[in-house]
Amino acid sequence: MRAGRVTGGARLRPSTDATTVRVRGDEVLLSDGPFAETKEYLAGIAFIDVADLDEAIALAAKHPAASDGGSVEVRPVWE
């Protein structure tokens, strides 16, 4: 932060508050909690402003990473 390189961010709530979204065909699969397998990795992060968890899940289900064997973790930030 002192170097002036941080452009934004927020503290994530615990992984116990996460919802993992996967899409298989036309079905949206939800699971409580973070990624369960250790072969998963963080490929990116995006902050979105939504009204509620349902809206966040709907957007996550449209993300390319949620299909073809991948997943998207939806997690709120501390306010």
Side-chain angles (χ1 to χ4, degrees):
M1 292 180 78
R2 289 183 185 137
R5 306 265 181 192
V6 176
T7 60
R11 188 174 136 214
L12 293 175
R13 295 195 49 95
S15 61
T16 54
D17 290 349
T19 301
T20 299
V21 180
R22 293 176 173 85
V23 177
R24 301 295 179 267
D26 292 335
E27 188 176 8
V28 177
L29 307 171
L30 305 177
S31 41
D32 292 334
F35 297 126
E37 299 179 36
T38 57
K39 66 181 181 177
E40 303 286 359
Y41 62 92
L42 179 66
I45 187 169
F47 291 97
I48 57 173
D49 186 14
V50 293
D52 55 27
L53 180 59
D54 291 336
E55 186 178 358
I57 289 170
L59 286 172
K62 294 177 183 176
H63 194 287
S67 59
D68 295 327
S71 59
V72 173
E73 183 179 302
V74 175
R75 194 184 315 182
V77 296
W78 289 99
E79 295 187 34

